Amino acid sequence: MGPGFEYVRWRLAMDGGLSIAAAMAGYVIFILFIGTQGVRHVRVRTELELAEKVQQALAPPLDFRRAGYEIYGKSAPSSQMGGDLLDAVYDGEAMACYVGDVAGHGIQAGVFMGMVKSAARTALLRPGSLEALFADLNRVLFEVKAESATYVTFACVRCRDGGKVEYSLAGNGPILHYHASSKTMSQLTMEQFPLGLFAHATFQSCLVKVEPGDILALLTDGLPEVEDANGEQFGLERIGELVARNASGPLADLTEKLFAAVRRYGSRTDDETFVLVRASVGSRGDSASPDFIGSGFRPETYPL
């Protein structure tokens, strides 16, 4: 004997009630997901988009021709919010440019990058030596940074008439100097603390003479530290050789060839920033050796 009418009606009512309950439970779970994970996903996506826009504003491509110098620069971040900076400023007499590498990544590093760029641009618009500029930047950044471990490595050149270039390095790797007349490459080195690390750090700067066709290459550590499958780094010497082989062509083409060569060599694991400064006018007949402000610094020169 089959189930009675009352049982069937009860079963249909029970199944219908469970279906409605399951639908309501699914709706509630969906609402809870939207209110938690969904909001979190949207927030993360919004932060990433904001970080990318901040990165584009703080590290835009450079392409300047002024005061007898050509400047071209490019930065490739390793994430939406990298830590590298580059900028160029003309104060009416001299053309200055720099690269910087802020410790860390993400929104917090981006905020500090904004502070560095604003302070550096303001300082570079005022006359004075790079020694004073670095000292002022160091003091300001030390006082405004949010964490004690935050700092920025910095390399800067200020180019004047007659091929006179002042440069200074704060925790950054060497500036590469290609000498057009001898087709050799020298490294302008300087051992100084990064900016913002110690409140009372002191800094020095040097003067170097450039001739027409000479190129100064400023870069952060991301490019030379790219490794191949065997763990060998791309290195500064390969970068110098590539600059020398393409020194007479457009700086934009030279830069793209370098980035392409590095990509063929290995994967990007850090921000990569590269700025080229080429002298189009200058003074010949003077020594190309740096005139050192202070003491203890000597460039390393090697033939190509």
Side-chain angles (χ1 to χ4, degrees):
M1 183 177 179
F5 177 76
E6 291 297 329
Y7 174 79
V8 172
R9 187 173 64 176
W10 173 84
R11 183 59 184 267
L12 289 174
M14 179 65 70
D15 290 347
L18 290 175
S19 297
I20 294 173
M24 293 181 64
Y27 179 76
V28 170
I29 292 173
F30 175 75
I31 293 299
L32 290 175
F33 173 81
I34 292 297
T36 55
Q37 297 298 325
V39 171
R40 185 178 304 170
H41 174 76
V42 171
R43 183 185 299 117
V44 170
R45 183 61 188 172
T46 301
E47 289 181 354
L48 290 176
E49 291 177 355
L50 175 61
E52 189 170 1
K53 291 180 180 178
V54 172
Q55 175 69 32
Q56 292 171 355
L58 294 178
L62 302 179
D63 191 359
F64 291 95
R65 290 171 179 81
R66 190 170 292 180
Y69 298 91
E70 300 175 63
I71 296 178
Y72 188 88
K74 176 182 177 179
S75 183
S78 59
S79 62
Q80 280 87 349
M81 187 70 256
D84 279 8
L85 278 168
L86 72 164
D87 200 4
V89 180
Y90 181 64
D91 64 5
E93 296 182 358
M95 192 73 191
C97 65
Y98 67 83
V99 298
D101 185 359
V102 172
H105 293 79
I107 297 298
Q108 184 173 342
V111 172
F112 191 68
M113 287 170 65
M115 296 177 182
V116 174
K117 185 161 188 174
S118 297
R121 179 167 277 268
T122 301
L124 286 171
L125 287 172
R126 299 194 306 264
S129 69
L130 291 185
E131 290 184 14
L133 182 145
F134 275 43
D136 290 344
L137 276 178
N138 181 74
R139 183 168 57 253
V140 169
L141 296 177
F142 183 84
E143 293 174 354
V144 301
K145 66 180 183 178
E147 295 185 0
S148 59
T150 303
Y151 61 87
V152 57
T153 62
F154 209 76
C156 184
V157 297
R158 182 175 253 157
C159 309
R160 300 187 182 279
D161 292 340
K164 297 178 181 178
V165 177
E166 181 186 10
Y167 70 92
S168 189
L169 302 166
N172 204 84
I175 295 173
L176 302 180
H177 182 184
Y178 170 73
H179 304 266
S181 59
S182 60
K183 293 182 171 54
T184 59
M185 186 74 68
S186 64
Q187 295 186 11
L188 307 176
T189 62
M190 194 176 290
E191 295 184 2
Q192 301 190 116
F193 289 116
L195 300 177
L197 191 60
F198 299 109
H200 303 294
T202 58
F203 301 92
Q204 295 177 308
S205 65
C206 302
L207 294 176
V208 63
K209 177 74 70 175
V210 296
E211 298 181 348
D214 282 13
I215 294 178
L216 299 175
L218 290 70
L219 63 160
T220 57
D221 57 7
L223 285 167
E225 291 183 359
V226 168
E227 296 182 351
D228 63 8
N230 298 319
E232 182 180 352
Q233 293 186 346
F234 192 78
L236 290 173
E237 189 167 350
R238 285 189 178 92
I239 295 176
E241 291 171 351
L242 193 147
V243 170
R245 288 197 304 269
N246 300 275
S248 60
L251 297 184
D253 292 350
L254 193 164
T255 300
E256 294 306 320
K257 288 179 181 179
L258 173 62
F259 275 85
V262 173
R263 282 291 67 77
R264 291 192 297 269
Y265 192 82
S267 300
R268 181 186 300 126
T269 58
D270 196 4
D271 307 323
E272 299 170 349
T273 302
F274 191 60
V275 175
L276 294 168
V277 181
R278 180 163 59 193
S280 55
V281 297
S283 299
R284 293 189 178 274
D286 295 325
S287 172
S289 299
D291 177 14
F292 295 95
I293 302 174
S295 60
F297 304 125
R298 290 294 182 272
E300 176 187 352
T301 303
Y302 53 88
L304 294 168

